[in-house]
Amino acid sequence: MNATTAEQASAPVTEDALRSVLLAGERPSRPGPVLTSLTFGWRALLKIKHVPEQLVDVTMFPIMFTLMFTYLFGGALAGSTQAYLQFLLPGILVQANVMITMNTGITLNTDIQKGVFDRFRSLPVWRPSPLVGALLGDLVRYSIGSAIVITLGLVLGFRPEGGAVGVVLSVVLLLVFSFCLSWLWTMLSLILRTPNSVAGVSMMVMFPLTFGSNIFVDPKTMPGWMQAVVEVNPITHLATVVRGLMHGSVPAGEIGWVLVSSALLVAVFGPITMVLYRNK
């Protein structure tokens, strides 16, 4: 090292020289809410890739319920398994999707316990991105579950009178409702301390809602007081819409009721979730 080089090395770095190095290229623009949400949604899908066991509830649960209820109770409830399958399958499609939405809260609570979300909140991105992205990623899980139920139903003899259009519309509406319902479990994941607690409370909420509905039987066979309970159950209205669209009828009033209830779920639990997330 000569004297000139040593002098240059010992010379202090000026602010202008530092800026010229750091700002040599054009600074990338800050990502928007859509891009950051999709990025976190992709993260949720990568987790499924590395932990495929997360798809057990999406695959085995609907298959098990469809086969059990069709062949154990179909003859007693409808006279034949084929007749009961036409009534049951749209309901099973609803039950499978709304039940697996609970995994959203469990997964988020696991990330919170590991400290992952503390890192997310320190990033210069749209604040709700990690939550919205996780919910968008779960839409893929719901789509997989729907495809499995419909495929199994077709193999067993289910024939939707509404055709492919009715099936697609019913699945789209079901995905919208499932996305909105997931905000409830997201809120619980920020309140409860452990994933097991989230799973336990979620099951306590979902079991009465799904079994106390018209998914498995016609409410006309129930006592009067039970019919009144079933009629105000949002899962009942959702099952009615899905069943109607698949069988060729379009219950416009019921569709509106489902859309309103979906909007209310987001309007109520979305802001609460964001307040809890900001103060966590």
Side-chain angles (χ1 to χ4, degrees), residues 26-262:
E26 183 179 354
R27 184 174 182 178
S29 59
R30 184 172 179 176
V34 175
L35 180 59
T36 53
S37 298
L38 292 176
T39 300
F40 282 106
W42 180 246
R43 171 184 177 267
L45 297 182
L46 289 178
K47 289 174 64 178
I48 295 176
K49 174 184 176 182
H50 295 291
V51 188
E53 293 84 357
Q54 295 185 39
L55 292 178
V56 170
D57 60 339
V58 177
T59 55
M60 300 308 299
F61 178 81
I63 292 175
M64 178 182 64
F65 264 78
T66 302
L67 294 176
M68 286 180 57
F69 277 88
T70 298
Y71 292 106
L72 287 178
F73 306 113
L77 296 176
S80 70
T81 56
Q82 286 300 309
Y84 186 55
L85 183 65
Q86 310 307 313
F87 176 87
L88 174 69
L89 193 109
I92 287 291
L93 181 63
V94 171
Q95 188 200 36
N97 275 273
V98 298
M99 291 290 282
I100 61 180
T101 59
M102 298 185 300
N103 187 71
T104 300
I106 298 171
T107 303
L108 289 176
N109 189 271
T110 301
D111 283 343
I112 292 171
Q113 299 306 316
K114 292 181 178 179
V116 176
F117 267 70
D118 291 334
R119 172 57 178 156
F120 290 163
R121 289 189 296 176
S122 68
L123 296 176
V125 298
W126 185 48
R127 183 60 64 88
S129 294
L131 301 178
V132 175
L135 298 180
L136 291 176
D138 279 340
L139 285 178
V140 177
R141 298 176 67 252
Y142 308 152
S143 301
I144 294 173
S146 299
I148 289 174
V149 172
I150 294 171
T151 302
L152 178 61
L154 293 175
V155 171
L156 296 178
F158 176 72
R159 297 295 179 263
E161 298 175 8
V165 175
V167 172
V168 171
L169 290 177
S170 64
V171 171
V172 170
L173 189 62
L174 184 54
L175 292 179
V176 171
F177 183 86
S178 299
F179 175 84
C180 298
L181 178 63
S182 296
W183 284 98
L184 170 59
W185 317 129
T186 304
M187 182 194 71
L188 290 178
S189 71
L190 296 169
I191 296 175
L192 302 175
R193 298 182 180 181
T194 65
N196 288 337
S197 300
V198 177
V201 174
S202 301
M203 292 293 284
M204 290 177 59
V205 174
M206 286 311 305
F207 259 85
L209 285 176
T210 54
F211 284 91
S213 67
N214 65 345
I215 287 179
F216 300 105
V217 295
D218 191 331
K220 295 178 181 179
T221 62
M222 303 177 185
W225 63 270
M226 189 64 186
Q227 291 185 34
V229 173
V230 170
E231 288 299 325
V232 298
N233 186 346
I235 303 300
T236 296
H237 295 276
L238 180 61
T240 300
V241 170
V242 171
R243 191 172 282 128
L245 289 173
M246 284 191 167
H247 288 306
S249 62
V250 183
E254 295 289 344
I255 293 176
W257 202 101
V258 171
L259 293 176
V260 169
S261 61
S262 300

